[in-house]
Amino acid sequence: MASLHPSSKAVHEEEDLNHVPPQEKELDAGALFVLKSKGSWIHSGYHLTTSIVAPALLSLPYAFASLGWASGIMCLVVGAVVTFYSYNLISLVLEHHAELGHRHLRFRDMAHDILGPRWGRYYVGPVQFMVCYGAVVGSTLLGGQCMKAIYLLSNPGGSMKLYEFVIIFGSFMLILAQIPSFHSLRHINLVSLVLSLAYSACATAGSIYIGSSSKGPEKDYSLSANTETRVFGIFNAIAIIATTFGNGIIPEIQATLAPPVKGKMFKGLCVCYAVLIATFFCVAISGYWAFGNQSEGLILSNFLDQDGNALVYLQPTNEVLERTFADPQSGEFSTRNVIPRLISRSLSVIIATTIAAMLPFFGDINAMIGAFGFLPLDFVLPVVFYNLTFKPSKRSPIFWLNVSIAAVFSAMGVIAAVAAVRQISLDAKTYRLFANV
């Protein structure tokens, strides 16, 4: 970058101040209390792993059922490569703006500064909130399903319904929702990282055991003979895979790092993707091998097995609630802030639990979140942000690589959204509220 003349420095500083997003011009309770910048690179690795290596990976065999072996593995490889590349790009953009004195703590702050205020307020902010809240709903549903599976193992003739377990798990989430900040989750997310390896190992071992025994179903890897069903099924599966690789909160995770942040997120991503490769491919391949096109939206539905949950996505929704209801001039644990925090976070979890109990269809929820949320946030916007921030030459390979990624995944997002809505409309014929599935 060209250096500024001393005589013009004050003018440029004033101009820069005018371009700082409104959230950064004054104290912000969400940033002040939830997004504390105290973490190390290994803490970012815990947060990244918990946010990506999450319950959605248990839907991967179901996605393979619509793709087949070759396309399924290819989509997994492409998803891993593109998201690792995209997440590194968005981290570089964040580092660049931090060096300029504009440290962005939230995805919508980035959109506000790079794309314009309307993009941050009316598109990126709402989409990110939908993705995070949808992940809370999906995690609560999965927790209930796992509790029901464990219950039936110990009591095969038990009469308790799924929605009862969802409510029990939601009550547990109600307590965890009160954890004050993202940084406070670092030790819990280390435990979650270990558990993600554990429940993935259990799912893999269970699939191999059942697939190798006479108890398993006859293996059938054929795809639907109906062309329309097969085509829409492919895009629905792509949306599910996008959800498994989706994060949607890279800026918020990077905001937890203590400055200077340069290079720390790359190390954290390496930790995350080491766990990701070990879990995603094992669960997807073993589950599809064992159950073929009979793979369920949640692989645990094909057999009774272990528990697993993700807590990270509560924090971005908590940040929005904190920013709305808390007073940054009062102490974090003052009565003025504790009471609104308790009420707003509790209501948030209660609503999510109610939705999970009413609509207990994990595969369809994953596809919807992936199509409308993770594809634009994690596959499209990072490359757009990079090109707009660094302005690479139109003759350079990176410019056209980024343009190609944005174009291809934008088109996929539109088609996947149609496929996800279509699948829900088809399944709605057999849906009923509070179904015991």
Side-chain angles (χ1 to χ4, degrees), residues 48-87:
L48 287 163
T49 303
T50 303
S51 63
I52 300 176
V53 185
L57 74 89
L58 298 174
S59 291
L60 285 173
Y62 176 69
F64 268 46
S66 296
L67 293 168
W69 279 116
S71 297
I73 292 174
M74 183 184 72
C75 284
L76 269 190
V77 172
V78 169
V81 172
V82 171
T83 52
F84 187 79
Y85 173 73
S86 296
Y87 295 153

CSV table of all heavy atoms in Angstrom, one decimal, residues 48-87:
chain,number,residue,atom,x,y,z
A,48,LEU,N,-13.3,-23.8,16.5
A,48,LEU,CA,-13.5,-24.2,15.1
A,48,LEU,C,-14.0,-25.7,15.0
A,48,LEU,O,-14.9,-26.0,14.2
A,48,LEU,CB,-12.3,-24.0,14.3
A,48,LEU,CG,-11.9,-22.5,14.0
A,48,LEU,CD1,-10.4,-22.4,13.6
A,48,LEU,CD2,-12.8,-22.0,12.9
A,49,THR,N,-13.3,-26.5,15.7
A,49,THR,CA,-13.7,-28.0,15.7
A,49,THR,C,-15.1,-28.2,16.1
A,49,THR,O,-15.9,-28.9,15.5
A,49,THR,CB,-12.7,-28.8,16.5
A,49,THR,OG1,-11.4,-28.5,16.0
A,49,THR,CG2,-13.0,-30.3,16.4
A,50,THR,N,-15.5,-27.6,17.2
A,50,THR,CA,-16.8,-27.8,17.8
A,50,THR,C,-17.9,-27.2,16.8
A,50,THR,O,-19.0,-27.8,16.7
A,50,THR,CB,-16.9,-27.1,19.2
A,50,THR,OG1,-15.9,-27.7,20.0
A,50,THR,CG2,-18.3,-27.4,19.8
A,51,SER,N,-17.6,-26.1,16.1
A,51,SER,CA,-18.6,-25.5,15.3
A,51,SER,C,-18.7,-26.2,13.9
A,51,SER,O,-19.8,-26.1,13.3
A,51,SER,CB,-18.2,-24.0,15.0
A,51,SER,OG,-17.0,-23.9,14.3
A,52,ILE,N,-17.7,-27.0,13.5
A,52,ILE,CA,-17.7,-27.7,12.2
A,52,ILE,C,-17.9,-29.2,12.4
A,52,ILE,O,-18.8,-29.8,11.8
A,52,ILE,CB,-16.5,-27.4,11.4
A,52,ILE,CG1,-16.3,-25.9,11.1
A,52,ILE,CG2,-16.5,-28.2,10.0
A,52,ILE,CD1,-15.0,-25.5,10.4
A,53,VAL,N,-17.1,-29.8,13.2
A,53,VAL,CA,-17.3,-31.2,13.5
A,53,VAL,C,-18.4,-31.4,14.5
A,53,VAL,O,-18.2,-31.5,15.7
A,53,VAL,CB,-15.9,-31.8,14.0
A,53,VAL,CG1,-16.1,-33.3,14.2
A,53,VAL,CG2,-14.8,-31.5,13.1
A,54,ALA,N,-19.6,-31.3,14.0
A,54,ALA,CA,-20.8,-31.2,14.8
A,54,ALA,C,-21.8,-32.3,14.4
A,54,ALA,O,-21.5,-33.1,13.6
A,54,ALA,CB,-21.4,-29.8,14.7
A,55,PRO,N,-23.0,-32.3,15.1
A,55,PRO,CA,-24.0,-33.4,14.8
A,55,PRO,C,-24.3,-33.6,13.3
A,55,PRO,O,-24.7,-34.7,13.0
A,55,PRO,CB,-25.2,-32.9,15.6
A,55,PRO,CG,-24.6,-32.1,16.7
A,55,PRO,CD,-23.4,-31.4,16.1
A,56,ALA,N,-24.2,-32.5,12.5
A,56,ALA,CA,-24.6,-32.7,11.1
A,56,ALA,C,-23.8,-33.7,10.4
A,56,ALA,O,-24.2,-34.3,9.4
A,56,ALA,CB,-24.4,-31.3,10.4
A,57,LEU,N,-22.6,-34.1,10.9
A,57,LEU,CA,-21.8,-35.1,10.2
A,57,LEU,C,-22.5,-36.5,10.3
A,57,LEU,O,-22.2,-37.3,9.4
A,57,LEU,CB,-20.4,-35.2,10.8
A,57,LEU,CG,-20.2,-35.8,12.2
A,57,LEU,CD1,-19.9,-37.3,12.1
A,57,LEU,CD2,-19.0,-35.2,12.9
A,58,LEU,N,-23.4,-36.7,11.2
A,58,LEU,CA,-24.1,-37.9,11.3
A,58,LEU,C,-25.2,-38.1,10.2
A,58,LEU,O,-25.8,-39.1,10.1
A,58,LEU,CB,-24.7,-38.0,12.7
A,58,LEU,CG,-23.7,-38.1,13.9
A,58,LEU,CD1,-24.5,-38.0,15.2
A,58,LEU,CD2,-22.8,-39.3,13.8
A,59,SER,N,-25.3,-37.0,9.4
A,59,SER,CA,-26.2,-37.1,8.3
A,59,SER,C,-25.5,-37.4,7.0
A,59,SER,O,-26.1,-37.6,5.9
A,59,SER,CB,-27.0,-35.8,8.1
A,59,SER,OG,-27.9,-35.5,9.1
A,60,LEU,N,-24.2,-37.6,7.0
A,60,LEU,CA,-23.4,-37.8,5.8
A,60,LEU,C,-23.8,-39.1,5.0
A,60,LEU,O,-23.9,-39.1,3.8
A,60,LEU,CB,-21.9,-37.7,6.1
A,60,LEU,CG,-21.3,-36.3,6.4
A,60,LEU,CD1,-19.9,-36.4,6.8
A,60,LEU,CD2,-21.4,-35.5,5.1
A,61,PRO,N,-24.0,-40.2,5.7
A,61,PRO,CA,-24.4,-41.4,5.0
A,61,PRO,C,-25.7,-41.2,4.2
A,61,PRO,O,-25.9,-41.7,3.1
A,61,PRO,CB,-24.5,-42.5,6.1
A,61,PRO,CG,-23.6,-42.0,7.2
A,61,PRO,CD,-23.7,-40.5,7.2
A,62,TYR,N,-26.6,-40.4,4.8
A,62,TYR,CA,-27.9,-40.1,4.2
A,62,TYR,C,-27.6,-39.3,2.9
A,62,TYR,O,-28.3,-39.5,1.9
A,62,TYR,CB,-28.7,-39.3,5.2
A,62,TYR,CG,-30.1,-38.8,4.7
A,62,TYR,CD1,-31.1,-39.7,4.4
A,62,TYR,CD2,-30.3,-37.4,4.5
A,62,TYR,CE1,-32.3,-39.2,3.9
A,62,TYR,CE2,-31.5,-36.9,4.1
A,62,TYR,CZ,-32.5,-37.8,3.8
A,62,TYR,OH,-33.7,-37.3,3.3
A,63,ALA,N,-26.7,-38.4,3.0
A,63,ALA,CA,-26.3,-37.6,1.7
A,63,ALA,C,-25.7,-38.5,0.7
A,63,ALA,O,-26.1,-38.4,-0.5
A,63,ALA,CB,-25.4,-36.5,2.1
A,64,PHE,N,-24.9,-39.5,1.1
A,64,PHE,CA,-24.3,-40.4,0.2
A,64,PHE,C,-25.4,-41.2,-0.5
A,64,PHE,O,-25.2,-41.7,-1.7
A,64,PHE,CB,-23.3,-41.3,0.9
A,64,PHE,CG,-21.9,-40.8,0.9
A,64,PHE,CD1,-21.6,-39.5,1.2
A,64,PHE,CD2,-20.9,-41.7,0.7
A,64,PHE,CE1,-20.3,-39.0,1.3
A,64,PHE,CE2,-19.5,-41.2,0.7
A,64,PHE,CZ,-19.3,-39.9,1.0
A,65,ALA,N,-26.5,-41.5,0.2
A,65,ALA,CA,-27.6,-42.3,-0.4
A,65,ALA,C,-28.2,-41.7,-1.6
A,65,ALA,O,-28.7,-42.4,-2.5
A,65,ALA,CB,-28.6,-42.6,0.6
A,66,SER,N,-28.1,-40.4,-1.8
A,66,SER,CA,-28.6,-39.7,-3.0
A,66,SER,C,-27.5,-39.4,-4.0
A,66,SER,O,-27.8,-39.0,-5.1
A,66,SER,CB,-29.2,-38.3,-2.5
A,66,SER,OG,-30.3,-38.5,-1.7
A,67,LEU,N,-26.2,-39.6,-3.6
A,67,LEU,CA,-25.1,-39.3,-4.5
A,67,LEU,C,-24.4,-40.5,-5.0
A,67,LEU,O,-23.8,-40.5,-6.1
A,67,LEU,CB,-24.1,-38.4,-3.7
A,67,LEU,CG,-24.5,-37.0,-3.3
A,67,LEU,CD1,-23.5,-36.4,-2.3
A,67,LEU,CD2,-24.7,-36.1,-4.5
A,68,GLY,N,-24.4,-41.6,-4.3
A,68,GLY,CA,-23.6,-42.8,-4.6
A,68,GLY,C,-22.1,-42.6,-4.2
A,68,GLY,O,-21.7,-41.6,-3.7
A,69,TRP,N,-21.3,-43.7,-4.4
A,69,TRP,CA,-20.0,-43.7,-3.9
A,69,TRP,C,-19.1,-42.6,-4.5
A,69,TRP,O,-18.5,-41.8,-3.8
A,69,TRP,CB,-19.3,-45.1,-4.2
A,69,TRP,CG,-19.7,-46.1,-3.2
A,69,TRP,CD1,-20.4,-47.3,-3.4
A,69,TRP,CD2,-19.4,-46.2,-1.8
A,69,TRP,NE1,-20.6,-48.0,-2.3
A,69,TRP,CE2,-19.9,-47.4,-1.3
A,69,TRP,CE3,-18.7,-45.3,-1.0
A,69,TRP,CZ2,-19.8,-47.7,0.1
A,69,TRP,CZ3,-18.5,-45.7,0.4
A,69,TRP,CH2,-19.1,-46.9,0.9
A,70,ALA,N,-19.0,-42.6,-5.8
A,70,ALA,CA,-18.0,-41.7,-6.4
A,70,ALA,C,-18.4,-40.2,-6.2
A,70,ALA,O,-17.5,-39.4,-5.7
A,70,ALA,CB,-17.9,-41.9,-7.9
A,71,SER,N,-19.6,-39.9,-6.4
A,71,SER,CA,-20.1,-38.5,-6.2
A,71,SER,C,-20.0,-38.1,-4.8
A,71,SER,O,-19.7,-36.9,-4.4
A,71,SER,CB,-21.5,-38.3,-6.8
A,71,SER,OG,-21.5,-38.5,-8.2
A,72,GLY,N,-20.4,-39.0,-3.9
A,72,GLY,CA,-20.3,-38.7,-2.5
A,72,GLY,C,-18.9,-38.4,-2.0
A,72,GLY,O,-18.7,-37.3,-1.3
A,73,ILE,N,-18.0,-39.2,-2.3
A,73,ILE,CA,-16.6,-39.0,-1.9
A,73,ILE,C,-16.1,-37.7,-2.5
A,73,ILE,O,-15.4,-36.9,-1.9
A,73,ILE,CB,-15.7,-40.2,-2.2
A,73,ILE,CG1,-16.1,-41.4,-1.3
A,73,ILE,CG2,-14.2,-39.9,-2.0
A,73,ILE,CD1,-15.4,-42.7,-1.6
A,74,MET,N,-16.4,-37.5,-3.8
A,74,MET,CA,-15.9,-36.3,-4.5
A,74,MET,C,-16.5,-35.0,-3.8
A,74,MET,O,-15.7,-34.0,-3.6
A,74,MET,CB,-16.3,-36.3,-6.0
A,74,MET,CG,-15.8,-35.1,-6.8
A,74,MET,SD,-16.4,-35.1,-8.5
A,74,MET,CE,-18.1,-34.6,-8.2
A,75,CYS,N,-17.7,-35.0,-3.5
A,75,CYS,CA,-18.3,-33.9,-2.8
A,75,CYS,C,-17.7,-33.6,-1.4
A,75,CYS,O,-17.5,-32.4,-1.0
A,75,CYS,CB,-19.8,-34.1,-2.6
A,75,CYS,SG,-20.8,-33.8,-4.2
A,76,LEU,N,-17.3,-34.7,-0.7
A,76,LEU,CA,-16.7,-34.5,0.6
A,76,LEU,C,-15.3,-33.9,0.4
A,76,LEU,O,-14.9,-32.9,1.1
A,76,LEU,CB,-16.5,-35.9,1.3
A,76,LEU,CG,-17.6,-36.3,2.2
A,76,LEU,CD1,-17.1,-37.6,3.0
A,76,LEU,CD2,-18.0,-35.3,3.2
A,77,VAL,N,-14.5,-34.3,-0.6
A,77,VAL,CA,-13.2,-33.8,-0.9
A,77,VAL,C,-13.3,-32.3,-1.3
A,77,VAL,O,-12.6,-31.5,-0.8
A,77,VAL,CB,-12.5,-34.6,-1.9
A,77,VAL,CG1,-11.2,-33.9,-2.3
A,77,VAL,CG2,-12.2,-36.0,-1.4
A,78,VAL,N,-14.2,-32.0,-2.2
A,78,VAL,CA,-14.4,-30.7,-2.7
A,78,VAL,C,-14.8,-29.8,-1.5
A,78,VAL,O,-14.3,-28.6,-1.4
A,78,VAL,CB,-15.4,-30.6,-3.8
A,78,VAL,CG1,-15.8,-29.1,-4.1
A,78,VAL,CG2,-14.9,-31.3,-5.1
A,79,GLY,N,-15.7,-30.2,-0.7
A,79,GLY,CA,-16.2,-29.4,0.4
A,79,GLY,C,-15.1,-29.1,1.4
A,79,GLY,O,-14.9,-28.0,1.9
A,80,ALA,N,-14.2,-30.1,1.7
A,80,ALA,CA,-13.1,-29.9,2.6
A,80,ALA,C,-12.1,-28.9,2.0
A,80,ALA,O,-11.6,-28.0,2.7
A,80,ALA,CB,-12.4,-31.2,2.9
A,81,VAL,N,-11.7,-29.0,0.7
A,81,VAL,CA,-10.8,-28.2,0.1
A,81,VAL,C,-11.3,-26.7,0.0
A,81,VAL,O,-10.6,-25.8,0.3
A,81,VAL,CB,-10.4,-28.7,-1.3
A,81,VAL,CG1,-9.5,-27.7,-2.1
A,81,VAL,CG2,-9.6,-30.0,-1.2
A,82,VAL,N,-12.5,-26.6,-0.5
A,82,VAL,CA,-13.1,-25.2,-0.7
A,82,VAL,C,-13.3,-24.5,0.6
A,82,VAL,O,-12.9,-23.3,0.7
A,82,VAL,CB,-14.4,-25.3,-1.5
A,82,VAL,CG1,-15.1,-23.9,-1.6
A,82,VAL,CG2,-14.1,-25.8,-2.9
A,83,THR,N,-13.8,-25.2,1.6
A,83,THR,CA,-14.0,-24.5,2.9
A,83,THR,C,-12.7,-24.1,3.6
A,83,THR,O,-12.6,-23.1,4.2
A,83,THR,CB,-14.9,-25.3,3.9
A,83,THR,OG1,-14.4,-26.6,4.0
A,83,THR,CG2,-16.3,-25.4,3.3
A,84,PHE,N,-11.7,-25.0,3.6
A,84,PHE,CA,-10.4,-24.7,4.2
A,84,PHE,C,-9.8,-23.5,3.5
A,84,PHE,O,-9.3,-22.6,4.1
A,84,PHE,CB,-9.5,-25.9,4.0
A,84,PHE,CG,-8.2,-25.7,4.8
A,84,PHE,CD1,-8.1,-25.9,6.1
A,84,PHE,CD2,-7.0,-25.3,4.1
A,84,PHE,CE1,-6.9,-25.7,6.8
A,84,PHE,CE2,-5.8,-25.1,4.7
A,84,PHE,CZ,-5.7,-25.3,6.1
A,85,TYR,N,-9.9,-23.4,2.2
A,85,TYR,CA,-9.5,-22.3,1.4
A,85,TYR,C,-10.3,-21.0,1.7
A,85,TYR,O,-9.7,-19.9,2.0
A,85,TYR,CB,-9.6,-22.6,-0.1
A,85,TYR,CG,-9.3,-21.4,-1.0
A,85,TYR,CD1,-8.0,-21.0,-1.2
A,85,TYR,CD2,-10.3,-20.8,-1.7
A,85,TYR,CE1,-7.7,-20.0,-2.1
A,85,TYR,CE2,-10.1,-19.8,-2.6
A,85,TYR,CZ,-8.7,-19.4,-2.8
A,85,TYR,OH,-8.5,-18.3,-3.7
A,86,SER,N,-11.6,-21.1,1.8
A,86,SER,CA,-12.5,-20.0,2.1
A,86,SER,C,-12.2,-19.4,3.5
A,86,SER,O,-12.2,-18.2,3.7
A,86,SER,CB,-13.9,-20.4,1.9
A,86,SER,OG,-14.2,-20.7,0.5
A,87,TYR,N,-12.1,-20.3,4.4
A,87,TYR,CA,-11.9,-19.9,5.8
A,87,TYR,C,-10.6,-19.2,6.0
A,87,TYR,O,-10.5,-18.2,6.8
A,87,TYR,CB,-12.1,-21.0,6.8
A,87,TYR,CG,-13.4,-21.7,6.8
A,87,TYR,CD1,-13.6,-23.0,7.2
A,87,TYR,CD2,-14.6,-20.9,6.5
A,87,TYR,CE1,-14.9,-23.6,7.2
A,87,TYR,CE2,-15.8,-21.5,6.5
A,87,TYR,CZ,-16.0,-22.8,6.9
A,87,TYR,OH,-17.2,-23.4,6.9
